[in-house]
């Protein structure tokens, strides 16, 4: 490996590194504003100046390639003087309004000015004034504070794939704007707030809510989709004030979607905080004892075969297991978690997870989307696809039209006939697929919901098996599920008689159930007839609308729980605040009901539930690790060909779950998005 000398110490570095990166290997901290590891190099701020031997002046370490034999000094008088000069220029036009700035306490400029700043300015000219820019309901602007680092511009162009932020003017008169001053059309737009090293871009919903040192910080995971983005939940007086990303290069890197970040205000809206009982088609407040007595009475009066339960899209695995054991206690096996009929083969783990892994997308050399729109269904996974497309020029194809993605793709058809042609090697795409080394095929729920869903999945799987694209080294078969709980609930066999048939939906549609218990189910489309409906959840949403008894439970930020993301990676969601009002954690509610039925019955214990969950999860390795790779079953399941159009069902992105539907911020984003689509 090549070597470089930094402050008299010889350091090995990899070819292609910059001087700044080499300095980091030597544990030397270099101040910077414009440089960011995930963005292209701009070299704007010059704060990273260092001294290089035989150079007449200091060099920008972020833009200078490291070369064998370089002698770099970072702690000389010249370097310090140069950095102080840069800082003086940066502060010349800065308003110095730290006491009223939301960035105060976590501001890079504030931190670095403490070391390199001066107490007096030599500039006597008036400071520039820049009008606030409109960037939508999420981003608050104060562009007088802007230091022209262009991080936001590069992020919008390179990562988000929506190049709507740019610079107008030159020099001191340069301004960062969205050109036409409209809202950013990106589901990743608010990441520019984290990237901004000053207070030019701050969070509009969070404005003047709290100071960073006042917040309690809890590391957790996101449940708005199936990706399992790593997040940090910040609370003040047990109220969730904001959600920020945590670094995890294998999943979300250091970004999160706008829905993940801003739907948190929905945790306070439309909340259920007390039990309710319906009498004469009106809901009345009730006590816990009264509500549970009525539920127990109905359970005891009803044949177990006529009792059904449905588990919602954001349910923790411990609660789901307690729900299953609760149902098994009184002899019912009518359990389901799917909101619609979609084909599912639960025999092997590889049949319902993203086998290539999120990070593995970067290794691929060809990507095929089948009946999916990853931009809305899994935003962070879509960002990884775009990264691969930009950096490696990987070709992307689609069967079915996903609409406006953030990268170029080619539609090769929209029918199952096109899949048949690929399998039979009757079109040009077959040759491209077979000549690739690490292809990725992503099958979405829209494809699996079709009558031909079984054919689509099983024939693609068979084709990949036959051509050695499924092995321990590389598995090209990927299923993109939409909900946070889906993979884990399949592992726990939350299915009718632990099978994947559609008996639940058939009985539901034919009014065969007399008692329906909904555990956080707000997306299940049901026309209520004579069923007695119990709803247990956190929000007064679609499930509560049809309920005869409502039991208030904790939201995902108010209870601990394990979740399994689309890769089959088990992750821990941690309690950041307390349940509001009289609401309780789900497993505790089941304890109350069981004790009413039989006082001698043992209570559920959360720690024991967690250990049992780990035992039941297929191929479980460790928390936060990918599942263990096992031998692949080469046996294929026969399926009948059905000629059918593959249509991608539109997902109401900002209203996809009960929390986001209760969010005022998501409502504003949705309205703006609809207006943009109408007007162009």
């Amino acid at each position: 490996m090549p070597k470089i000398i930094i402050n008299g110490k010889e350091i090995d570095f990899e070819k292609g590194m910059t001087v700044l990166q080499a300095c980091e290997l030597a544990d030397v901290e270099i101040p910077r504003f414009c440089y960011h590891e995930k963005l292209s190099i701009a070299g704007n701020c010059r704060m990273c100046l260092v001294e290089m031997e035989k150079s007449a002046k200091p060099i920008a370490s972020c833009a200078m390639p490291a070369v064998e034999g370089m002698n770099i000094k970072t702690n000389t008088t010249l370097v310090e003087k140069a950095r102080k000069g840069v800082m003086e220029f940066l502060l010349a036009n800065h308003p110095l309004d730290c006491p009223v700035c939301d960035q105060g306490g976590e501001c890079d400029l504030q931190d670095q000015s403490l070391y390199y700043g001066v107490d007096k300015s030599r500039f006597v000219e008036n400071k520039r004034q820049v009008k606030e820019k409109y960037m939508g309901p999420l981003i608050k602007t104060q562009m007088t504070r802007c230091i022209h680092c262009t991080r936001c511009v590069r992020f919008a162009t390179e990562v988000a794939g929506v190049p709507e932020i740019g610079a107008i003017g030159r020099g001191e008169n340069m301004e960062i704007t969205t050109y036409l001053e409209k809202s950013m059309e990106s589901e990743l737009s608010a990441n520019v707030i984290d990237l901004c090293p000053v207070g030019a871009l701050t969070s509009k919903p969070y404005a003047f809510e709290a100071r960073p040192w006042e917040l309690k910080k809890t590391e957790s995971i996101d449940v708005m989709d199936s990706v399992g983005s790593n997040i940090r939940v910040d609370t003040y007086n047990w109220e969730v004030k904001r959600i920020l990303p945590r670094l995890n290069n294998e999943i979300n890197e250091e970004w999160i979607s706008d829905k993940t970040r801003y739907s948190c205000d929905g945790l306070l809206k439309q909340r259920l905080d007390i039990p309710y009982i319906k009498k004469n088609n009106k809901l009345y407040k009730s006590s816990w004892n009264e509500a549970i007595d009525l539920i127990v009475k109905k359970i005891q009066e009803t044949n177990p075969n006529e009792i059904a339960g449905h588990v919602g899209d954001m349910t923790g695995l411990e609660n789901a297991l307690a729900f299953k054991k609760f149902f098994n206690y009184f002899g019912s096996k009518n359990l389901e978690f799917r909101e619609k009929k979609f084909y599912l083969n639960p025999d092997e783990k590889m049949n319902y997870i993203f086998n290539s892994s999120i990070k593995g997308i970067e290794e691929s050399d060809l990507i095929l989307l089948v009946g999916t729109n990853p931009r809305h269904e899994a935003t962070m996974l879509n960002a990884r696809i775009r990264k691969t497309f930009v950096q490696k020029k990987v070709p992307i194809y689609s069967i079915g039209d996903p609409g406006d993605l953030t990268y170029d793709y080619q539609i090769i058809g929209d029918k199952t006939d096109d899949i048949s042609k690929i399998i039979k090697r009757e079109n040009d795409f077959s040759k491209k697929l077979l000549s690739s080394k690490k292809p990725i095929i992503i099958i979405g729920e829209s494809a699996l919901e079709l009558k031909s869903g079984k054919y689509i999945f099983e024939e693609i799987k068979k084709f990949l098996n036959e051509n050695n694209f499924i092995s321990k080294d590389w598995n090209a078969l990927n299923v993109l599920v939409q909900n946070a709980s889906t993979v884990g609930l399949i592992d726990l066999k939350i299915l009718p008689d632990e099978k994947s048939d559609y008996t639940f939906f058939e009985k539901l549609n034919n009014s065969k159930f007399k008692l329906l218990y909904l555990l956080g189910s707000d997306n299940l489309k049901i026309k209520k007839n004579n069923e007695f409906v119990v709803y247990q959840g956190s929000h007064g949403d679609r499930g509560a609308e049809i309920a005869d008894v409502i039991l208030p439970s904790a939201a995902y930020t108010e209870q601990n729980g394990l979740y399994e993301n689309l890769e089959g990676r088990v992750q821990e969601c941690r309690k950041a605040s307390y349940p509001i009002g009289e609401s309780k954690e789900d497993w505790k509610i089941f304890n109350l009901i069981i004790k009413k039925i039989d006082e001698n019955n043992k209570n559920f214990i959360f720690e024991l539930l967690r250990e049992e969950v780990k035992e039941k999860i297929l191929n479980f390795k460790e928390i936060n690790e990918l599942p263990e790779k096992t031998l692949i079953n080469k046996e294929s399941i026969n399926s009948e060909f059905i000629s059918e159009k593959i249509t991608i069902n539109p997902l109401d992105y900002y209203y996809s779950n009960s929390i986001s539907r209760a969010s005022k911020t998501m409502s504003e984003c949705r309205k703006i998005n609809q207006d943009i689509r109408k007007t162009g």
Side-chain angles (χ1 to χ4, degrees):
M1 291 181 74
K3 300 182 184 294
I4 187 173
I5 300 171
I6 298 172
N7 296 335
K9 184 180 178 182
E10 196 173 68
I11 302 292
D12 293 331
F13 69 94
E14 293 180 12
K15 191 176 179 181
M17 279 187 167
T18 63
V19 171
L20 188 148
Q21 292 170 325
C23 289
E24 288 181 338
L25 292 177
D27 294 326
V28 176
E29 187 177 352
I30 304 293
R32 83 289 302 263
F33 291 113
C34 69
Y35 176 79
H36 192 275
E37 293 81 357
K38 302 294 183 183
L39 304 175
S40 62
I41 295 170
N44 294 335
C45 72
R46 320 307 284 183
M47 196 66 200
C48 63
L49 293 173
V50 296
E51 188 177 347
M52 182 175 71
E53 192 177 60
K54 297 180 181 180
S55 175
K57 56 184 180 180
I59 62 166
S61 59
C62 71
M64 177 63 71
V67 178
E68 172 80 40
M70 270 187 173
N71 189 355
I72 303 295
K73 297 176 182 177
T74 69
N75 52 8
T76 64
T77 304
L78 176 65
V79 171
E80 186 176 351
K81 187 177 178 181
R83 291 174 182 174
K84 284 185 175 181
V86 171
M87 180 60 69
E88 190 173 6
F89 276 116
L90 291 175
L91 296 178
N93 278 314
H94 198 80
L96 302 177
D97 55 352
C98 301
V100 296
C101 178
D102 264 327
Q103 195 81 354
E106 44 192 16
C107 174
D108 291 348
L109 182 64
Q110 193 179 55
D111 294 341
Q112 293 182 40
S113 66
L114 287 174
Y115 189 82
Y116 297 106
V118 292
D119 57 350
K120 292 181 181 179
S121 175
R122 290 178 288 176
F123 293 94
V124 295
E125 296 87 353
N126 291 329
K127 296 194 176 194
R128 68 184 175 113
Q129 296 291 321
V130 184
K131 289 183 179 179
E132 287 192 25
K133 312 295 183 184
Y134 176 74
M135 291 190 181
L138 307 179
I139 304 167
K140 185 178 186 295
T141 65
Q142 184 64 265
M143 303 313 290
T144 303
R145 299 170 184 159
C146 181
I147 61 171
H148 303 159
C149 72
T150 69
R151 280 187 180 183
C152 54
V153 178
R154 285 174 283 149
F155 174 84
T157 305
E158 298 165 12
V159 179
V162 184
E164 295 173 341
I165 300 179
I168 57 174
R170 292 180 65 90
E172 187 184 46
N173 298 317
M174 176 177 154
E175 295 182 17
I176 304 295
T177 178
T178 52
Y179 299 121
L180 300 177
E181 293 199 28
K182 65 175 185 176
S183 178
M184 285 182 67
E185 293 181 56
S186 171
E187 295 77 24
L188 298 171
S189 64
N191 287 288
V192 299
I193 297 167
D194 299 332
L195 285 171
C196 185
V198 296
L201 304 176
T202 55
S203 173
K204 191 176 284 186
Y206 175 69
F208 309 120
E209 286 286 324
R211 288 297 193 180
W213 55 83
E214 298 174 317
L215 301 172
K216 176 183 175 247
K217 302 167 179 65
T218 305
E219 293 185 351
S220 189
I221 59 145
D222 172 47
V223 300
M224 295 291 126
D225 57 28
S226 60
V227 175
S229 298
N230 285 224
I231 59 173
R232 193 187 82 195
V233 182
D234 289 357
T235 55
Y236 180 75
N237 287 339
W238 303 109
E239 179 183 326
V240 177
K241 288 295 184 182
R242 66 179 183 178
I243 290 176
L244 298 176
R246 283 193 295 126
L247 177 66
N248 189 320
N249 284 320
E250 293 188 353
I251 302 176
N252 59 300
E253 297 187 289
E254 53 189 275
W255 325 118
I256 54 172
S257 69
D258 291 346
K259 182 167 62 174
T260 299
R261 187 186 296 267
Y262 283 120
S263 59
C264 60
D265 64 330
L267 293 166
L268 296 175
K269 308 292 184 183
Q270 296 178 211
R271 287 297 302 269
L272 300 171
D273 60 353
I274 195 169
Y276 290 88
I277 293 177
K278 187 176 284 184
K279 299 176 183 176
N280 300 321
N281 288 323
K282 288 186 177 180
L283 287 171
Y284 295 92
K285 291 181 180 179
S286 166
S287 66
W288 273 99
N289 279 332
E290 186 183 0
I292 287 173
D293 284 343
L294 179 57
I295 293 170
V296 170
K297 180 174 178 287
K298 290 292 181 179
I299 289 174
Q300 292 173 336
E301 293 175 351
T302 309
N303 187 312
N305 293 326
E306 296 176 323
I307 301 175
H310 191 275
V311 182
D313 56 324
M314 297 185 290
T315 305
L317 298 185
E318 296 92 345
N319 292 325
L321 180 61
F323 189 62
K324 182 178 180 178
K325 293 168 81 72
F326 166 64
F327 260 62
N328 291 342
Y329 174 75
F330 52 78
S332 175
K333 294 184 178 180
N334 298 313
L335 288 174
E336 184 60 85
F337 69 89
R338 290 172 289 184
E339 296 154 2
K340 302 175 184 175
K341 296 179 182 178
F342 68 81
Y343 176 72
L344 172 65
N345 182 352
D347 296 338
E348 291 182 286
K349 189 117 179 167
M350 63 169 283
N351 292 334
Y352 49 87
I353 66 171
F354 201 92
N355 293 288
S356 302
S357 79
I358 297 171
K359 191 177 182 180
I361 293 172
E362 297 181 29
E363 300 178 36
S364 66
D365 53 5
L366 182 147
I367 299 173
L368 172 63
L369 309 175
V370 182
T372 181
N373 179 347
R375 179 174 179 179
H376 291 158
E377 295 171 14
T379 304
M380 296 317 307
L381 182 129
N382 187 69
R384 192 73 69 144
I385 295 174
R386 171 171 170 78
K387 180 182 178 181
T388 308
F389 171 78
V390 171
Q391 295 184 356
K392 295 181 62 179
K393 310 298 180 187
V394 172
I396 301 171
Y397 302 88
S398 177
I399 298 179
D401 187 5
D404 186 19
L405 297 179
T406 56
Y407 39 82
D408 296 332
Y409 64 95
Q410 183 181 335
I411 300 173
I412 59 177
D414 63 353
K415 293 183 178 179
T416 49
D417 303 71
D418 299 298
I419 294 175
S420 180
K421 288 176 182 177
I422 294 171
I423 292 164
K424 294 176 181 177
R425 309 184 185 189
E426 294 176 354
N427 59 10
D428 293 337
F429 179 76
S430 297
K431 297 175 184 176
K432 295 176 183 176
L433 180 58
L434 292 170
S435 63
S436 64
K437 294 181 179 179
K438 289 187 174 182
I440 284 180
I441 297 180
I442 304 173
I443 306 171
E445 288 187 13
S446 293
L448 300 176
E449 286 171 20
L450 300 171
K451 293 178 181 177
S452 55
K454 183 177 182 180
Y455 172 83
I456 292 170
F457 178 81
E458 295 296 344
E459 290 304 312
I460 289 176
K461 179 183 175 183
K462 183 180 178 182
F463 175 81
L464 294 174
N465 258 328
E466 290 174 349
N467 293 283
N468 298 316
F469 288 132
I470 295 180
S471 66
K472 279 191 173 183
D473 297 325
W474 184 257
N475 193 333
L477 181 68
N478 300 282
V479 176
L480 177 50
V481 297
Q482 295 181 9
N483 296 332
S485 300
T486 298
V487 173
L489 296 179
I490 299 172
D491 275 349
L492 296 181
K493 297 292 190 291
I494 307 294
L495 293 162
D497 289 322
E498 299 191 349
K499 298 177 183 177
S500 58
D501 56 28
Y502 305 128
T503 55
F504 177 91
F505 298 98
E506 291 165 0
K507 290 179 179 179
L508 184 65
N509 294 332
N510 295 321
S511 302
K512 297 293 185 181
F513 298 131
K514 290 184 178 179
L515 192 153
L516 180 62
Y517 201 123
L518 303 177
L519 178 60
S521 299
D522 290 296
N523 293 333
L524 181 67
K525 292 182 179 179
I526 172 177
K527 186 179 179 182
K528 188 175 184 298
N529 294 308
N530 298 317
E531 304 96 341
F532 183 83
V533 179
V534 179
Y535 174 76
Q536 180 175 317
S538 59
H539 284 72
D541 202 74
R542 296 168 183 172
E545 288 176 2
I546 61 171
D548 296 289
V549 177
I550 296 174
L551 302 178
S553 67
Y556 80 99
T557 56
E558 298 161 2
Q559 54 185 330
N560 294 311
L562 295 179
Y563 289 82
E564 201 173 350
N565 79 341
L566 52 78
E567 306 167 292
R569 189 193 302 266
V570 178
Q571 299 172 287
E572 187 176 2
C573 182
R574 294 189 178 92
K575 184 175 182 176
S577 59
Y578 286 113
I580 67 169
E582 296 183 21
S583 58
K584 304 179 186 294
E585 294 172 48
D586 288 303
W587 62 276
K588 290 181 179 179
I589 296 174
F590 300 138
N591 278 340
L592 293 175
I593 299 172
I594 287 177
K595 279 295 179 184
K596 282 282 184 180
I597 298 174
D598 183 5
E599 289 185 0
N600 297 320
N601 205 300
K602 292 182 179 179
N603 280 337
F604 293 126
I605 299 172
F606 184 81
E607 289 74 19
L608 296 179
L609 286 170
R610 174 164 289 190
E611 289 305 312
E612 192 171 347
V613 164
K614 292 178 182 178
E615 291 173 7
K616 289 183 177 294
I617 289 176
L618 296 177
N619 306 349
F620 175 73
K621 205 170 182 180
E622 295 288 341
I623 288 179
N624 295 325
E625 290 187 18
L626 289 171
E628 188 177 351
K629 293 180 179 178
T630 56
L631 290 172
I632 306 299
N633 183 5
K634 297 285 184 177
E635 293 182 10
S636 58
I637 298 174
N638 294 325
S639 57
E640 182 184 355
F641 172 75
I642 303 171
S643 182
E644 194 174 7
K645 187 175 181 180
I646 299 175
T647 304
I648 299 170
N649 299 325
L651 178 69
D652 196 346
Y653 176 75
Y654 294 107
Y655 270 17
S656 62
N657 57 65
S658 59
I659 296 174
S660 60
R661 286 192 287 270
S663 166
K664 182 184 176 184
T665 309
M666 291 296 98
S667 180
E668 291 176 9
C669 290
R670 183 173 182 259
K671 185 179 182 303
I672 288 170
N673 186 263
Q674 289 175 338
D675 291 343
I676 289 171
R677 293 184 183 278
K678 287 178 183 177
T679 61

